[in-house]
Amino acid sequence: QLLEYKYENGEIIVATAFKKEVLTKSLNEDEGCFSTIIESEFFDLNFNNLNKNLFVKIAKTYNNRTIFEISDSNIEEQAPSYLYTIENLDTQDLEQKLTNVSIDGFEYTGVFVFKLSPNSTNTESKFETIVFSPQQGIVHLKIRSGGYLKLN
């Protein structure tokens, strides 16, 4: 699916959103009394003209823990250079983290706000804040050097 993002100056950037991938993995290592299943959902947003990819990962893990992050890498064993997270995400119910935000003169309701994580291996990311809508995906990217990209 092709998506258009617009800079504050009106320039259009085309991004390609790739199909979601859903993985289910059992962590049952023996024939014990319990098993743990991890369910993960991924999708990839490729900003064609910027040579940038963002990967969105949502996962339910052991003890019903939720992982919801955006990064520049989808390789499991490799730490991403840029990792964006929701502040204080320690809830089993993601809906509790939905919020309303005003950013760069735009109002968004019922969205998740991701900030560049201190766990990023590289703090020179192009983006500082990413706004994610459950219905539309990434709708707004605040650029660290000023300006933004907004879903058109």
Side-chain angles (χ1 to χ4, degrees):
Q1 177 184 9
L2 291 180
L3 303 173
E4 288 187 347
Y5 286 83
K6 187 186 284 189
Y7 278 108
E8 70 283 352
N9 66 7
E11 180 187 351
I12 300 288
I13 295 291
V14 175
T16 306
F18 292 97
K19 187 177 181 223
K20 293 180 182 180
E21 180 181 353
V22 178
L23 300 174
T24 304
K25 179 172 147 183
S26 176
L27 296 182
N28 192 15
E29 295 181 8
D30 57 27
E31 298 299 320
C33 297
F34 71 94
S35 76
T36 301
I37 295 177
I38 295 179
E39 292 182 342
S40 304
E41 220 176 295
F42 302 89
F43 77 87
D44 173 6
L45 188 62
N46 180 345
F47 290 91
N48 306 337
N49 299 4
L50 298 178
N51 198 23
K52 296 271 181 213
N53 280 45
L54 291 175
F55 300 93
V56 179
K57 175 182 179 180
I58 304 171
K60 279 285 193 187
T61 64
Y62 52 90
N63 296 329
N64 211 20
R65 185 171 166 258
T66 300
I67 297 171
F68 192 10
E69 60 191 25
I70 300 173
S71 69
D72 68 335
S73 172
N74 67 349
I75 300 170
E76 284 294 322
E77 298 80 33
Q78 177 183 323
S81 296
Y82 310 118
L83 178 66
Y84 302 88
T85 56
I86 298 171
E87 194 172 333
N88 299 322
L89 180 64
D90 59 357
T91 179
Q92 293 179 4
D93 183 7
L94 268 181
E95 288 184 5
Q96 292 177 5
K97 297 308 272 186
L98 287 171
T99 188
N100 301 332
V101 65
S102 176
I103 186 168
D104 295 319
F106 298 97
E107 301 289 327
Y108 297 99
T109 57
V111 295
F112 298 103
V113 177
F114 290 81
K115 300 277 189 182
L116 185 61
S117 168
N119 295 332
S120 295
T121 57
N122 185 337
T123 57
E124 297 304 314
S125 166
K126 180 172 182 67
F127 308 114
E128 88 180 28
T129 304
I130 298 175
V131 179
F132 184 94
S133 162
Q135 294 78 26
Q136 297 177 284
I138 295 174
V139 293
H140 195 102
L141 300 108
K142 183 171 185 65
I143 299 171
R144 288 174 56 98
S145 60
Y148 61 84
L149 280 170
K150 180 185 180 307
L151 184 63
N152 206 5

